[in-house]
């Protein structure tokens, strides 16, 4: 008998059981292993029934169905791929810089010969980490300008979308022309020999 059988876990308390009855933590504590075995036997018997009951069975299964988790809409939109890549790179660089600074400090306190090289590498690493943080900002600005809001006057997104639309239109027109030629059976084509 585990601790979650006695007190009931957060997931189980208040969750519907196989009979559709809501179970509270107090009721869960009173449940025995025999109850669990009876529930398992009931569900096994239910699965072994003849499929002739069709619609009634589907309705009952919908009653017993409980998803493992409920999808919640994201609060914010996901970062674009280039921006997310730059952010991950920046976080790794900052973590490495902090680690080097800590090692440099500890080596200095211990009077180790490694203190001077670690201090120099920490300074270089700080410059690289600053570049990484600026890279996230610049990448985000560039992405927003190219693919972002069309209503911003300085945005190049409008022109890029216009070019993409024009290219798609031309591709569709060429595809339709090829389809027309195929339907005619190649009539009107000049054979080059």
């Amino acid at each position: 008998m585990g601790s979650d059988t006695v007190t009931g876990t957060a997931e189980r308390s208040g969750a519907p059981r196989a009979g559709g009855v809501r179970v509270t933590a107090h009721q869960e504590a009173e449940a025995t292993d025999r109850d669990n075995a009876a529930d398992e036997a009931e569900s096994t018997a239910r699965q072994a029934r003849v499929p002739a009951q069709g619609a009634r069975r589907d309705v009952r299964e919908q009653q017993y169905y409980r998803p493992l988790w409920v999808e919640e809409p994201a609060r914010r939109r996901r970062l674009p791929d280039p921006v997310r890549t730059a952010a991950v790179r920046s976080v790794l660089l900052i973590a490495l810089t902090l680690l080097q600074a800590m090692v440099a400090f500890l080596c200095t306190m211990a009077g180790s010969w490694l203190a001077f090289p670690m201090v120099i590498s920490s300074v270089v690493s700080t410059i690289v980490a600053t570049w990484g943080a600026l890279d996230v900002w610049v990448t985000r600005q560039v992405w927003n300008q190219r693919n972002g809001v069309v209503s911003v006057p300085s945005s190049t997104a409008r022109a890029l979308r216009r070019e993409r639309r024009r290219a798609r239109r031309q591709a569709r027109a060429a595809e339709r022309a090829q389809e027309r030629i195929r339907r005619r059976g190649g009539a009107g084509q000049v054979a080059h020999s």
Side-chain angles (χ1 to χ4, degrees):
M1 185 179 275
S3 62
D4 55 346
T5 333
V6 175
T7 58
T9 60
E11 293 86 14
R12 295 281 304 172
S13 68
R17 253 214 170 133
V21 180
R22 290 187 83 70
V23 179
T24 61
H26 180 66
Q27 291 169 335
E28 180 89 13
E30 296 172 359
T32 63
D33 289 337
R34 274 183 273 128
D35 292 339
N36 293 338
D39 287 343
E40 288 175 18
E42 179 185 323
S43 67
T44 308
R46 192 176 335 108
Q47 291 172 356
R49 285 191 191 138
V50 191
Q53 297 172 346
R56 268 191 8 221
R57 184 172 173 216
D58 289 340
V59 170
R60 265 195 244 130
E61 284 180 2
Q62 286 176 357
Q63 270 182 336
Y64 301 133
Y65 174 72
R66 188 182 89 204
L68 292 175
W69 62 83
V70 178
E71 293 282 336
E72 293 180 7
R75 291 189 182 104
R76 293 191 310 172
R77 291 197 348 249
R78 181 177 167 169
L79 281 176
D81 285 341
V83 179
R84 193 172 58 250
T85 304
V88 168
R89 188 182 323 124
S90 174
V91 166
L92 291 175
L93 288 171
I94 290 170
L96 182 67
T97 301
L98 290 173
L99 183 72
Q100 282 183 330
M102 183 185 68
V103 170
F105 174 74
L106 292 175
C107 286
T108 304
M109 288 294 158
S112 172
W113 64 270
L114 199 57
F116 182 69
M118 286 306 294
V119 168
I120 297 298
S121 71
S122 293
V123 170
V124 171
S125 189
T126 303
I127 294 168
V128 172
T130 306
W131 167 83
L134 285 174
D135 183 45
V136 174
W137 181 68
V138 168
T139 306
R140 184 171 165 264
Q141 295 298 328
V142 168
W143 193 91
N144 279 337
Q145 187 176 19
R146 287 188 185 156
N147 309 305
V149 184
V150 178
S151 61
V152 177
S154 64
S155 177
T156 57
R158 183 179 290 117
L160 286 172
R161 288 181 186 166
R162 194 178 301 132
E163 288 172 17
R164 283 190 217 125
R165 253 184 267 130
R166 187 179 305 127
R168 277 196 306 261
R169 253 187 248 123
Q170 288 173 350
R172 280 195 304 258
E175 190 178 312
R176 280 194 301 265
Q178 286 296 325
E179 186 62 34
R180 245 183 270 125
I181 291 171
R182 270 189 238 117
R183 270 187 274 144
R184 289 183 191 160
Q189 286 186 334
V190 179
H192 297 287
S193 42

